[in-house]
């Protein structure tokens, strides 16, 4: 059976910009995560909402929703969040 990943293999995601985008951001502390988001996106309008906590409570994840203007904007935010010292992972 062919999966969606099989169908999309070798193809780039086509989006119409500007569009809303959601990043899942994972860290160890909620306030540090929120500050990291602020450090990256500054005063841009956004919504941050709780997602999941790890079973042991060591990690928290939150959803960051905001309007991205183009592919460069989307990947810049992803890379900047990923490189931030207080962020463990970005999906």
């Amino acid at each position: 059976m062919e999966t969606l990943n099989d169908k999309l293999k070798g193809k780039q995601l086509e989006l119409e910009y500007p569009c809303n985008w959601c990043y899942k951001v994972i860290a160890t502390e909620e306030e540090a995560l929120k500050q990291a988001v602020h450090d990256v996106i500054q005063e841009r309008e956004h919504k941050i909402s709780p997602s999941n906590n790890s079973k042991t409570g060591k990690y928290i994840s939150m959803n960051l929703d905001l309007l991205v203007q183009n592919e460069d904007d989307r990947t810049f935010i992803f890379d900047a969040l990923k490189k931030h010292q207080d962020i463990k992972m970005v999906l």
Side-chain angles (χ1 to χ4, degrees):
M1 175 169 65
E2 186 176 48
T3 67
L4 181 58
N5 284 340
D6 294 333
K7 289 179 184 180
L8 296 176
K9 194 171 188 173
K11 295 181 182 177
Q12 185 173 351
L13 180 64
E14 293 182 27
L15 300 172
E16 289 187 30
Y17 292 100
C19 68
N20 290 315
W21 195 258
C22 181
Y23 301 90
K24 185 172 294 282
V25 185
I26 301 169
T28 56
E29 296 178 8
E30 183 174 340
E31 288 308 312
L33 185 151
K34 289 180 177 179
Q35 183 60 50
V37 166
H38 178 74
D39 292 347
V40 170
I41 65 170
Q42 299 172 357
E43 299 301 321
R44 287 176 67 165
E45 187 176 332
H46 68 282
K47 178 183 173 190
I48 191 160
S49 56
S51 182
N52 296 315
N53 292 340
S54 63
K55 286 183 182 180
T56 62
K58 183 175 179 179
Y59 299 104
I60 62 145
S61 65
M62 300 191 87
N63 296 318
L64 169 63
D65 295 290
L66 74 155
L67 185 69
V68 293
Q69 299 300 318
N70 53 46
E71 179 77 13
D72 291 338
D73 189 31
R74 186 176 67 82
T75 56
F76 171 82
I77 293 167
F78 178 84
D79 290 338
L81 287 168
K82 195 166 77 169
K83 290 176 186 174
H84 197 283
Q85 65 184 9
D86 293 325
I87 302 296
K88 300 300 179 193
M89 185 180 297
V90 182
L91 305 172

